[in-house]
C-alpha cells in the first residue's frame, strides 16, 4: 500500500518562503509522475506542479510559475515544493500525489494521495 505523507506547511507572511516535503512509503521510482495540488476554502482542488520520474520534465501552473519549484529525490523517496514570494492567495491545503500518467494535471491521473498540509499566507 502506497502512503504519502506531507510536511513543511505553516503560517508565513506574504513574500516569505516555505518548503513542502512529501515522503513516500515505497520507491518513488515506481511513480512515473509525482505532483502537488492545493485546495483553498470553498474552492476545488487545483493542480500546482508535477515532475516526471527522472526529474527532467516538469509542468507548473501559470499561477505559481516563477515562484514555485518542484523537485524529487528518488534516492530518498521524496518530493519537494519550494515556494517563494508567497501571496495570501496561495493559502490552501497542499496535497502530494503520485501515479503512472506522465505529468498529469488532473486529479484523476493520480491514484495515490497524501492527507495534505496547511499553508497559510498572511497579508
Amino acid at each position: 500500500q502506497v502512503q504519502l505523507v506531507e510536511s513543511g506547511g505553516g503560517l508565513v507572511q506574504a513574500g516569505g518562503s516555505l518548503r513542502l516535503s512529501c515522503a513516500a512509503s515505497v520507491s518513488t521510482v515506481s511513480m512515473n509522475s509525482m505532483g502537488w495540488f492545493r485546495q483553498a476554502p470553498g474552492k476545488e482542488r487545483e493542480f500546482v506542479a508535477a515532475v516526471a520520474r527522472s526529474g527532467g520534465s516538469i509542468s507548473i501552473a501559470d499561477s505559481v510559475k516563477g515562484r514555485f519549484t518542484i523537485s524529487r529525490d528518488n534516492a530518498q523517496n521524496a518530493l519537494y515544493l519550494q515556494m517563494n514570494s508567497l501571496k495570501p492567495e496561495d493559502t490552501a491545503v497542499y496535497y502530494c500525489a503520485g501515479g503512472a500518467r506522465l505529468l498529469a494535471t488532473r486529479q484523476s491521473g493520480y491514484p495515490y494521495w497524501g492527507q495534505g498540509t496547511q499553508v497559510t499566507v498572511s497579508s
Side-chain angles (χ1 to χ4, degrees):
Q1 184 177 358
V2 177
Q3 290 186 328
L4 301 175
V5 179
E6 303 93 339
S7 61
L11 174 64
V12 64
Q13 289 188 334
S17 298
L18 281 175
R19 188 191 194 210
L20 304 185
S21 299
C22 173
S25 62
V26 299
S27 171
T28 52
V29 173
S30 65
M31 289 180 272
N32 200 19
S33 279
M34 296 191 75
W36 291 97
F37 287 74
R38 68 185 182 184
Q39 187 167 18
K43 295 187 177 181
E44 294 187 354
R45 193 173 299 188
E46 64 175 2
F47 170 78
V48 175
V51 59
R53 181 188 290 119
S54 67
S57 297
I58 291 172
S59 178
I60 299 274
D62 288 343
S63 59
V64 304
K65 195 169 292 183
R67 300 188 298 121
F68 290 12
T69 302
I70 187 171
S71 62
R72 62 192 287 176
D73 185 341
N74 293 327
Q76 298 295 323
N77 297 328
L79 176 72
Y80 304 102
L81 185 69
Q82 178 67 43
M83 305 186 295
N84 299 327
S85 302
L86 282 161
K87 304 176 181 180
E89 51 263 45
D90 294 319
T91 294
V93 177
Y94 283 71
Y95 297 90
C96 169
R101 191 170 300 175
L102 183 62
L103 297 179
T105 60
R106 295 178 181 270
Q107 295 182 61
S108 58
Y110 297 93
Y112 309 118
W113 291 85
Q115 294 299 308
T117 185
Q118 176 71 47
V119 171
T120 303
V121 185
S122 63
S123 58

